[in-house]
Structures are given as structure tokens and as C-alpha cells.
Amino acid sequence: MIAEIICVGTELLLGDIVNSNAQFLSRELAELGVTVLHQHVVGDNPARLRALVQEAKDRSDLLVFSGGLGPTADDLTKETVAEVFGDTLHFDAEEWAKIEAFFARTGRRPTANNRKQAMVPTRGRKLPNAHGTAPGAWFEDAQGRAAALLPGVPHEMKAMWTEDVRPILEARQNCTIHSMTLRVLGGESDIASRVAPLFESANPTAAIYCKTGESEIRVTARAANRAAAEAACRARIEEFRAILGDNAYDVDVPGLAYTVVRTLRERGLQAATAESCTGGLVAEQLTAVPGASEVFGTGFVTYAAAAKTRLLGVDPALIERCNVVSAPVAAAMARGALAASGADLSVALTGLAGPGGALPGKPVGTVYLAGGDARTGCVHVARLNLCGYGDRTIIRARAALQALDLLRRMALGLAPVNAVTLAPGQQAPEL
Amino acid sequence: MIAEIICVGTELLLGDIVNSNAQFLSRELAELGVTVLHQHVVGDNPARLRALVQEAKDRSDLLVFSGGLGPTADDLTKETVAEVFGDTLHFDAEEWAKIEAFFARTGRRPTANNRKQAMVPTRGRKLPNAHGTAPGAWFEDAQGRAAALLPGVPHEMKAMWTEDVRPILEARQNCTIHSMTLRVLGGESDIASRVAPLFESANPTAAIYCKTGESEIRVTARAANRAAAEAACRARIEEFRAILGDNAYDVDVPGLAYTVVRTLRERGLQAATAESCTGGLVAEQLTAVPGASEVFGTGFVTYAAAAKTRLLGVDPALIERCNVVSAPVAAAMARGALAASGADLSVALTGLAGPGGALPGKPVGTVYLAGGDARTGCVHVARLNLCGYGDRTIIRARAALQALDLLRRMALGLAPVNAVTLAPGQQAPEL
């Protein structure tokens, strides 16, 4: 099946918004095994729209539209597509009642213009809109060429796609699709080379998306039913995990902080943070997870050297002797955070996020990460070399990600990455 | 002048990436007074590309391409556009030397395929690429219809656009353009209604972009030269500021934290943070600004009630009596942060970010914000009602923005918004 995507909206042509709808629809169609050869953006001009729809219909089996379903007189997408597909529109009392009820809930009344939105295909079918006023539309000609008209508002569009359009296409493609996303610490090139054969499979497919310091591997299976598609995804994910090991940290979570909060909760552990160069980013990411209060109570942002001494009890002589950006100071911060918070685990960060401030032997991007474990009295300390990965924002983000990973590893009893482990009372070496 | 944008790339058709290039180019063209009626995405297929280029050239004065300039055999955009514009390509020794030098810097050698990238227009002209290997191309036919071919990598594309293509178009439009962005606290609908007449002007134009809790007003002036365009922008920005007052906080900055850091530095003030519901977000935003260490040394993330007592000295009886989410506790946190840090100014936040945890009379989204001022001993305290604006992420982001604004207002001596001001020692009322 060949499809094209047509997005209607002046705000796209003016560059006021980025076309995230085209990306969403393209990815969904690819996963269904539908080939997308063209994407277009046009305005609300009926002549230009008609020319484009006719041309697209001549070469493709399916046209997917987003936008142009609004109530104003120049929103003519539905009328134009109906004409090209040889269909007409009629007034639908049920949709009109829904529109009136929608307005009533917000204390308003629909205008005469809104009646346009209650016009639905005569030979085709309407697509209910669970999240807004305008129903979508499905048109189909005698040759089986079809058009799906969806709203432009992303959350309305996505809901209508998932609930109404994708099931039609799954039925036509004679399959059900299911996707799962495995999250893996490390860069795309590292990962891709180790699991290359798994990316060549046609079903399940796998695609890798590079994020800061980690990658997402999205596995999509097509099968006769949902259970079989899910099972195929899960089996493929296990193959990835077998190769990628501990770095593959979770499936279908928004990010590492979610995995850390869940792991801490499962193990009944409390964590604390002591941050210098990341300035609160680790605490912010942990507390962005609903329910974080069960596992996190205290964070210290000790940006100044004096704050490291005052809040965490770091010896000023140690700072003087080793420099504030050093392994011994990171270790002392981690120990101080445990003592000052009463938590079971701590992570501490001190480093050079730039742009200025490089030291001899310590370029911008040098970060010391320490993890304290009150259960054993041990402290793990590592030097992260994040130079060359990007600017201040990237350095901070990568350092925070490593800190979350250290918390995860301590909670699970996994070995920390490239870290020196200090016994209780032992001072850290220079790293 | 009528333009269309053609982006070439399979990764766009598969939905692997979002088409941010189309947005950038559309906005730039709009600012130049060029009308964009179509955007397209196509793959590297020469037949489909040729058909599209021919059609686009028949109806538009200017075609702007991004992508398709790579070294592989199926990157045929340059060859295809040359053919439609009646031009040919020839090998350019200077570009080839640049490509060889680029590879040498990274310890590699170009392959024979890369020679394709050194092919440049014969009648048209090459566009130098300051940031990558592939030069761009400018084609023009006898009727003055033109095509600009730019790389797909966004930073290479933007640099080539700004340095090479925009000056050509400014010359054709007989003008220079300049843009300035005013940042304003508050929602788009509030702001737009107050300054509506200023948006109707044709030159300078103004466009408003809604962000979380604030808006950007982008003013773009066209004039005969740069100085005149800048002066026209500045004058229009002053008109906006005159209407919008204190809420218009800065021009051409990445965000409010930059304004706060600069203001604190100018006034020689140190700030501290005490965060519960925002969990470190305010500290993280302040320390994201290079040079923040001059004005920020200490932040407390007191997510648990016990941490508020231990780190900030908040009386447990006060927490027990008033609830941890209350104006008196926020005020005590702000006072405690001043005492524990030695800073001049503090902000403190305690609230319900959700999704669960609503209290009688305090729905999710209720946040108490306090600001302490060591110079006067006064504390400002306000209740923020952020229910209905969105989820946990939005509530936290809006609360953090209000906290930064309170720091700004205290530093500048402006009145805080909707706040009660407490004298030294005075306890906060319930709000």
C-alpha cells in the first residue's frame, strides 16, 4: 500500500509550528508496512488543495490528512476531498448535539459556523473525535482508494488515528501491530554495531533513535492478533537484552529516572543527591516521576565550595588540596549527603560544565561522580570525560544520566561503570 | 515572490526525525516577505523528484531544497534540479581540496563517491559549506526562476541559508531584515488582546509564540539597511513594552533564568532556593546559565517534610498545624534558606504537582511561593493556582517560572505579583 500525508494549515507554511503530525503519521504508517512516498503541506486554498488531492489520489492508495477541519469559511478540506472522491456531505444531528454539548461544558454556545463541523460523508463514514469538536472523515472511491481526514490538533489527531484509522488499516494489511521500546545507555554507533543483524529483520522491525547519552530501540511486530504481536516484540526485546546486557535498562518507560524510582521503591531504599555542576538536574529528574516522594526526600545543590562544606561537611582543606573538581571531593560529598539526609544511597557530582573554567589536566567536560551506600559504608567514585560531546547543556545532561545509572546499579547490586570502590573511611585517589 | 520548500530524505518519510528544517525555512521566508504556498518531502527517487521539481518550478519563483546532497549514488537532487533548470555540473578542484582537508582533519580519506559532492553548477553558482563537506548550489533559469540547494543537517543548512541565500533574497526583495524577540510572562490570549493593533502592522511584523507560562513576541523589520531595520525593531519592541509593562522581561535571551542571573550580577546579589514540589527545577534553571556561580551558591531540595525541618529549620509543629503545603510553611522555608545559605534573596516552593495528593480546598496545582529578602527581613508569599493548566510537568514548569520572576522582581525592587508581604518575624496567613 502506498500512502501520502497532506497537512493543511497556514501556521505550518509560516513556520509558526513544527510539523510533528507528519512525523507521527509517517512512523505509524511505516510500522503498518505502508510506504509513504510524499508528504505535503498546503494552505486552506480550495484550488491548490483540489489540484494536490487529485494528483495524490492518482498515484497513491491512501491519503492521510491532518488539519483543515475547523469551523471557519476557509476550512474547506472536507468539502474538497469529498468532491475529488465523488462523495457528498450531509448534516449529522448526532455530531451537532455533541458539538453543542462540548460548548455547553465550557459555558459557551456554538456559532452557525460550527454547523459545518457536523457535516459528515454520505457514502464514506465519519470518524468520532473523543477529544474535540470536529469529527474526522473517511472517504473511499469505487477502486478502493481512500482518504482519512484527521484534526490538526496533535492529541486529537493521535487519538483518532489510534482508535479509528489504524484498526481499518490493520484489517486491510491483515495484521495487528504492536511496538515496544527498549532503552539502552550508550551511543547509537556503539549499540548499532553490536546488534546489527537484529535490525535487518523484516518482522519484527527494529529502529534505533539516538538520545543524549542513550538510545531507544523501537521494536514493532506485525502478527495475526495482538497477543502474537506482543509476544514477538517481547521475544525480540529479550534478544537485544541478551546482547546489550546491563546497559539495556528498561522497556516502555519515559526515561531512566522512572526506572530508578521504581527500583528504589521495589528495594525499599531512599536516595539523596549532592550536586554541583548539574545544579539540581538529578533531583529534578527524580522528582519529575510521580510518586518519587516514596524514595527521595533530600537533595543538596552545593554550587559554591562553601556550600559543600556547610551542607555536606566537606573539609575545606581537602577542597584546597585536591581542588573542588576532584575525586576526593566527589567522594566526600557522597558521604556527606548520606550523613546529612539519612538516606540509604547517595550520588554526588562535581565537574566542569563550561564554557569556561578548564583546569590543567581537567578540560571542560571533566566530571567526578560518586555514589555512597550506607548499607556497606562503601563509596564508588568515577571520572567522567564528557569533553567533545557538546555544550554545557549536553555535559550536564550526560552527567545526570550517569548519576541516575549509578543509583540504579547500587540499588540492583550491579557493578558501577569504570568506578573505584572505596572502603569506609578510605580516601579517594586522584582520578 | 512565491516559494516552495522541498525536503529530500527517507528518514523524514519514515518519521525517524521531525522536519525542523521546513519550519526554519518557512519562518525565514515569511520574514523576507516571500509567500510559501507548498512544502513537500520526497525520497531520493529521481523520477518522483524530477516530476515534483518541474511542477513546483512551473508555479513558483523560488524552490528551496534541503537534503539529498550526500555522497551516495542515490543522492541525485543536485543532478535532477540542474536538469530541470537547464544547467549542468562540473568538477570543482577547490571544493574537492576542501573535502579532502575535512576528511584529513578527522584522520580519514574521502572515497570516490565523495567526488560527487565536489560537482558544482556550471551556469549557476556553488554555495560554500562552512560546517560540512557538501557545498550547496544555486540554479537560475532564463526567466529568473531560482533554486537553492542546501544540506539536510540542520546546523549546516542554517549557516548556509544565513550566510549565502538570505543575502541574495534580501537583495532581490531590495531590503535587509532584522528580528528581535521580546519575552513576556503570561498567556498568548491575555497578551494578544492588549497589543492587537501592533500585530496588524505590515512592517515591522510581529508574531506571538506561546510557551509554558510565557510568550515570545518576534518582531521583524525590513528596511534599506541593517541599522534602519534594527532601529525599527527596537522602536516597535519599546511600543510593546510600554503596553505590557513589567511582564515584558527581556529581549533576545533564551529564557527568564538568564535575565535573573544577569540582574542579580548587576545588583551584586546572591540567591538561594528551597524547593519541594519543583524538586530542584529552579536551581537547575539558574545553574544552566553560564556564570551562574557568581550569583547562586546553595539550593535545598527538601522534598520530604523532615528535610524541611532538618535543612531549613521549619518547625514541625507549624507543618503539623498548617499542612506542609501552605503559605506559612513556604514563608518559613524562604526564611530558613536565607539563614542556612547566607544569601541575600531566596525563593521557596511547596505545592501539589499531582497527579495524586489533592487536599480539601487545595486541588492539584496549588503551589505556595515565598521570597525572602535578607536586606529588609521581609518575606513575600503568594498562592499560585496552577490547576487546569496541565499535568505534573506543566505545573512544575509554571511554578519554577513564577519563582524566577519573584527573584527578578525582588532584585529589581518591583512589586511581587499577588503576594502578601510579611514583616520580619510575622507569620504568614493561610492563603
Side-chain angles (χ1 to χ4, degrees):
Chain A
M1 193 189 295
I2 307 285
E4 39 200 286
I5 293 168
I6 300 175
C7 300
V8 182
T10 307
E11 69 282 16
L12 290 165
L13 293 176
L14 289 171
D16 289 348
I17 56 172
V18 71
N19 195 352
S20 59
N21 285 359
Q23 182 186 19
F24 172 84
L25 292 168
S26 294
R27 194 186 282 195
E28 289 280 320
L29 287 162
E31 289 182 352
L32 282 160
V34 176
T35 304
V36 175
L37 296 180
H38 292 88
Q39 296 171 2
H40 313 270
V41 176
V42 285
D44 291 313
N45 177 290
R48 279 193 290 276
L49 190 60
R50 190 179 304 109
L52 175 62
V53 175
Q54 187 64 61
E55 183 186 322
K57 181 169 175 289
D58 288 344
R59 67 188 167 205
S60 297
D61 308 301
L62 172 68
L63 314 186
V64 183
F65 293 80
S66 80
L69 300 181
T72 61
D74 62 354
D75 287 313
L76 288 167
T77 306
K78 200 162 48 177
E79 291 75 0
T80 306
V81 179
E83 190 190 320
V84 175
F85 277 76
D87 203 343
T88 56
L89 300 174
H90 69 273
F91 180 76
D92 184 295
E94 186 191 8
E95 288 302 321
W96 179 241
K98 278 198 225 168
I99 292 169
E100 286 187 314
F102 184 91
F103 275 82
R105 276 200 298 281
T106 50
R108 296 173 303 153
R109 281 185 162 201
T111 64
N113 277 343
N114 291 102
R115 286 181 71 90
K116 248 172 83 27
Q117 298 188 293
M119 299 295 284
V120 306
T122 303
R123 210 185 55 230
R125 47 175 287 215
K126 66 184 177 185
L127 303 173
N129 188 339
H131 303 277
T133 54
W138 176 269
F139 295 102
E140 202 165 331
D141 73 5
Q143 288 75 47
R145 305 213 154 189
L149 274 65
L150 308 173
V153 178
H155 76 273
E156 295 181 22
M157 182 278 293
K158 287 181 188 175
M160 195 181 285
W161 169 266
T162 305
E163 291 157 24
D164 299 321
V165 181
R166 200 170 73 178
I168 299 174
L169 298 178
E170 286 183 343
R172 295 201 175 194
Q173 297 287 80
N174 203 17
C175 68
T176 297
I177 62 163
H178 186 74
S179 291
M180 290 173 75
T181 299
L182 177 66
R183 298 186 76 102
V184 189
L185 295 164
E188 181 177 333
S189 53
D190 288 357
I191 294 167
S193 63
R194 293 163 61 198
V195 290
L198 296 181
F199 285 108
E200 282 158 27
S201 148
N203 185 28
T205 59
I208 188 162
Y209 302 101
C210 189
K211 310 274 166 183
T212 300
E214 61 173 323
S215 300
E216 287 178 17
I217 296 176
R218 185 164 158 101
V219 171
T220 303
R222 274 175 277 162
N225 59 60
R226 184 168 185 85
E230 280 188 32
C233 280
R234 260 196 300 274
R236 179 52 48 88
I237 293 268
E238 286 315 308
E239 292 180 72
F240 275 108
R241 293 191 102 141
I243 299 169
L244 296 168
D246 291 346
N247 284 333
Y249 67 81
D250 217 337
V251 174
D252 289 344
V253 291
L256 181 53
Y258 284 76
T259 306
V260 170
V261 167
R262 196 201 65 227
T263 305
L264 292 169
R265 186 163 44 216
E266 286 170 0
R267 307 273 162 149
L269 296 169
Q270 288 278 324
T273 54
E275 302 182 66
S276 187
C277 58
T278 48
L281 185 55
V282 179
E284 188 276 314
Q285 291 182 349
L286 285 170
T287 59
V289 181
S293 59
E294 291 176 51
V295 300
F296 177 82
T298 310
F300 303 90
V301 184
T302 55
Y303 210 56
K308 294 176 181 70
T309 298
R310 199 196 295 223
L311 274 57
L312 303 172
V314 179
D315 182 354
L318 182 76
I319 295 176
E320 180 68 28
R321 193 168 69 246
C322 301
N323 189 286
V324 71
V325 176
S326 65
V329 169
M333 288 169 68
R335 287 191 172 114
L338 288 180
S341 69
D344 306 295
L345 301 175
S346 69
V347 280
L349 290 149
T350 177
L352 301 166
L359 298 167
K362 294 176 182 172
V364 167
T366 305
V367 176
Y368 293 92
L369 166 64
D373 189 333
R375 300 168 301 180
T376 62
C378 290
V379 174
H380 310 286
V381 61
R383 175 175 170 151
L384 311 177
N385 297 310
L386 305 175
C387 359
Y389 283 110
D391 64 4
R392 183 178 178 87
T393 305
I394 303 284
I395 290 168
R396 285 159 51 101
R398 284 183 171 262
L401 190 71
Q402 292 298 313
L404 290 173
D405 186 48
L406 180 55
L407 274 179
R408 175 182 74 104
R409 288 175 178 276
M410 290 192 294
L412 290 173
L414 298 172
V417 178
N418 294 329
V420 173
T421 297
L422 311 173
Q426 187 187 346
Q427 201 187 298
E430 299 278 358
L431 292 176
Chain B
M1 193 188 295
I2 306 287
E4 36 201 287
I5 293 167
I6 300 176
C7 300
V8 181
T10 307
E11 68 282 16
L12 290 164
L13 293 176
L14 289 171
D16 289 348
I17 55 172
V18 71
N19 196 352
S20 60
N21 285 359
Q23 182 185 20
F24 172 84
L25 291 168
S26 294
R27 195 186 282 195
E28 288 281 319
L29 287 162
E31 289 182 353
L32 282 159
V34 176
T35 304
V36 176
L37 297 179
H38 293 87
Q39 296 171 1
H40 313 270
V41 177
V42 284
D44 291 312
N45 176 289
R48 279 193 289 277
L49 191 59
R50 188 178 306 109
L52 175 62
V53 175
Q54 188 63 62
E55 182 185 325
K57 182 170 175 289
D58 288 345
R59 67 188 167 206
S60 296
D61 308 299
L62 171 69
L63 315 186
V64 182
F65 293 79
S66 80
L69 300 182
T72 62
D74 63 352
D75 286 313
L76 288 166
T77 305
K78 202 162 47 178
E79 292 76 359
T80 306
V81 178
E83 190 191 320
V84 176
F85 277 76
D87 204 342
T88 55
L89 300 174
H90 69 274
F91 181 75
D92 184 296
E94 186 190 10
E95 287 301 321
W96 179 241
K98 277 197 225 167
I99 291 170
E100 286 186 314
F102 185 90
F103 275 82
R105 277 201 297 281
T106 51
R108 297 173 303 153
R109 281 181 164 205
T111 64
N113 276 344
N114 290 102
R115 287 181 72 90
K116 248 171 84 29
Q117 298 188 294
M119 299 295 285
V120 306
T122 303
R123 210 184 57 230
R125 45 174 289 212
K126 66 183 178 184
L127 303 173
N129 187 339
H131 302 279
T133 56
W138 177 271
F139 295 102
E140 201 164 330
D141 73 5
Q143 289 76 49
R145 304 212 156 186
L149 275 64
L150 308 173
V153 177
H155 76 274
E156 295 181 22
M157 182 278 293
K158 286 180 189 175
M160 195 180 287
W161 170 266
T162 306
E163 291 157 24
D164 300 320
V165 181
R166 200 170 72 180
I168 299 174
L169 299 178
E170 286 183 343
R172 294 201 177 194
Q173 298 285 82
N174 205 15
C175 68
T176 297
I177 62 164
H178 186 74
S179 291
M180 290 173 77
T181 300
L182 177 66
R183 297 186 76 102
V184 188
L185 295 163
E188 180 176 332
S189 54
D190 286 357
I191 294 167
S193 63
R194 292 163 60 199
V195 289
L198 296 182
F199 286 109
E200 282 158 28
S201 150
N203 185 27
T205 59
I208 189 162
Y209 303 101
C210 189
K211 310 274 165 180
T212 301
E214 60 173 322
S215 300
E216 286 177 18
I217 296 176
R218 185 165 158 104
V219 172
T220 303
R222 273 175 277 165
N225 58 60
R226 185 165 184 87
E230 280 188 30
C233 278
R234 259 195 301 274
R236 179 55 45 89
I237 293 268
E238 285 315 308
E239 290 180 73
F240 276 108
R241 293 191 103 141
I243 299 168
L244 296 169
D246 291 347
N247 283 335
Y249 67 82
D250 217 335
V251 174
D252 289 344
V253 290
L256 181 54
Y258 283 76
T259 306
V260 170
V261 168
R262 195 200 66 227
T263 306
L264 292 169
R265 186 163 44 215
E266 287 170 359
R267 307 274 162 147
L269 296 169
Q270 289 277 324
T273 55
E275 303 182 67
S276 187
C277 58
T278 48
L281 185 56
V282 180
E284 188 276 315
Q285 291 182 349
L286 286 171
T287 60
V289 181
S293 59
E294 292 177 50
V295 302
F296 177 81
T298 310
F300 302 90
V301 184
T302 54
Y303 211 56
K308 294 176 181 70
T309 298
R310 202 196 294 220
L311 273 58
L312 303 172
V314 180
D315 182 355
L318 182 75
I319 295 176
E320 179 67 29
R321 194 171 68 246
C322 301
N323 190 285
V324 70
V325 176
S326 64
V329 169
M333 288 170 67
R335 287 190 172 114
L338 288 181
S341 68
D344 305 296
L345 301 174
S346 68
V347 280
L349 290 148
T350 178
L352 301 166
L359 299 167
K362 294 176 183 175
V364 166
T366 304
V367 176
Y368 294 92
L369 166 65
D373 190 333
R375 301 169 300 181
T376 60
C378 290
V379 173
H380 310 285
V381 59
R383 175 175 171 151
L384 312 177
N385 297 309
L386 305 175
C387 359
Y389 283 110
D391 63 5
R392 181 176 179 88
T393 304
I394 304 283
I395 290 167
R396 285 159 50 102
R398 285 184 169 261
L401 189 73
Q402 292 299 312
L404 290 174
D405 186 48
L406 180 54
L407 273 180
R408 176 182 74 105
R409 289 175 178 276
M410 289 192 295
L412 290 172
L414 299 171
V417 179
N418 295 328
V420 173
T421 297
L422 312 173
Q426 187 187 345
Q427 200 188 299
E430 300 278 359
L431 292 176

